[in-house]
Amino acid sequence: GENVEQHPSTLSVQEGDSAVIKCTYSDSASNYFPWYKQELGKRPQLIIDIRSNVGEKKDQRIAVTLNKTAKHFSLHITETQPEDSAVYFCAASSRAAGNKLTFGGGTRVLVKP
Amino acid sequence: ETGVTQTPRHLVMGMTNKKSLKCEQHLGHNAMYWYKQSAKKPLELMFVYNFKEQTENNSVPSRFSPECPNSSHLFLHLHTLQPEDSALYLCASSQEGGGETQYFGPGTRLLVL
């Protein structure tokens, strides 16, 4: 089945700097890659997603890139703010695997003011 | 947010108790999911229901018993749990059975004594 690895597990950045989180996946048939943000004590919420027919997607300060050949995708947060502090999860979904979402282990991001 | 609701939000139970977790989605979705979220572990998919039919049981012990009476409601019946079952149990829903955005409930924080 699908295996998703996420790095780093923790990330501390200064406010205003950029943060990058990387994920790799094992199933070459995976075609949907969402990113979720989970603030302390709250539910995971989708912040951005990308499908395999697109290489990059941007939404304000957040961008996701996908490299299908290398089977990895990354989340980029620019001009970080204290409210970006949270745990971020990547995931991959493959029709061949019954469309289950397989999640990475999460990255705890701390933005220091 | 009221799209996906879960009750109770917190639950403490003994190993001999029987309790049930409830999830309700108001989004008109046809697929519902149970996840387990433990400290320092990835989100673990437990069960998937599509159009009220169970389509995934991710090797979950029989002390967890799901029930999906209709597309809007999902239950997780608990009996003779172990302390290692203490975790945050998250419900999610999506339009169909995969490859698209899942919307999460707030979770039930379970403590087994």
Side-chain angles (χ1 to χ4, degrees):
Chain A
E2 176 72 280
N3 183 48
V4 178
E5 301 278 346
Q6 183 171 346
H7 299 281
S9 56
T10 59
L11 180 60
S12 183
V13 297
Q14 205 67 37
E15 182 178 357
D17 288 349
S18 295
V20 180
I21 304 170
K22 297 181 179 180
C23 288
T24 60
Y25 60 98
S26 60
D27 187 350
S28 57
S30 290
N31 55 10
Y32 175 63
F33 307 91
W35 285 89
Y36 285 83
K37 174 184 180 182
Q38 187 176 25
E39 297 178 51
L40 190 62
K42 296 192 175 180
R43 72 189 76 195
Q45 288 195 295
L46 180 80
I47 54 171
I48 195 167
D49 57 12
I50 192 167
R51 296 192 181 273
S52 57
N53 58 345
V54 176
E56 184 174 355
K57 186 176 178 180
K58 190 174 181 180
D59 182 4
Q60 299 183 335
R61 296 186 296 108
I62 295 173
V64 58
T65 58
L66 171 65
N67 184 326
K68 286 190 294 182
T69 303
K71 290 190 285 188
H72 68 69
F73 56 113
S74 300
L75 178 72
H76 304 254
I77 308 174
T78 58
E79 301 171 28
T80 54
Q81 301 169 5
E83 53 264 37
D84 295 327
S85 296
V87 179
Y88 292 81
F89 294 95
C90 65
S93 170
S94 164
R95 287 198 180 276
N99 289 317
K100 291 185 305 182
L101 271 184
T102 302
F103 284 84
T107 297
R108 185 173 299 278
V109 174
L110 175 64
V111 179
K112 296 180 288 185
Chain B
E1 297 185 40
T2 58
V4 182
T5 58
Q6 289 185 243
T7 55
R9 295 294 308 278
H10 302 272
L11 180 61
V12 180
M13 59 187 289
M15 288 189 284
T16 58
N17 291 159
K18 289 184 180 182
K19 296 287 184 183
S20 295
L21 310 185
K22 178 183 176 182
C23 176
E24 185 173 358
Q25 58 95 2
H26 309 271
L27 301 169
H29 290 163
N30 295 304
M32 296 186 78
Y33 311 78
W34 278 118
Y35 286 90
K36 177 183 179 182
Q37 187 175 35
S38 307
K40 299 183 180 179
K41 281 189 176 181
L43 279 163
E44 300 174 68
L45 179 65
M46 300 175 72
F47 302 103
V48 181
Y49 278 82
N50 278 293
F51 295 91
K52 302 186 299 179
E53 298 297 321
Q54 187 181 123
T55 56
E56 183 80 27
N57 177 338
N58 205 20
S59 303
V60 181
S62 60
R63 57 186 184 269
F64 295 91
S65 175
E67 179 190 359
C68 188
N70 54 62
S71 293
S72 299
H73 294 85
L74 185 64
F75 295 89
L76 189 61
H77 304 298
L78 317 171
H79 62 98
T80 59
L81 294 192
Q82 304 298 310
E84 59 264 30
D85 296 322
S86 299
L88 180 68
Y89 289 85
L90 288 160
C91 172
S93 72
S94 67
Q95 185 62 44
E96 292 182 5
E100 71 282 318
T101 305
Q102 291 184 19
Y103 295 85
F104 284 87
T108 294
R109 176 74 59 188
L110 174 66
L111 177 62
V112 181
L113 301 176

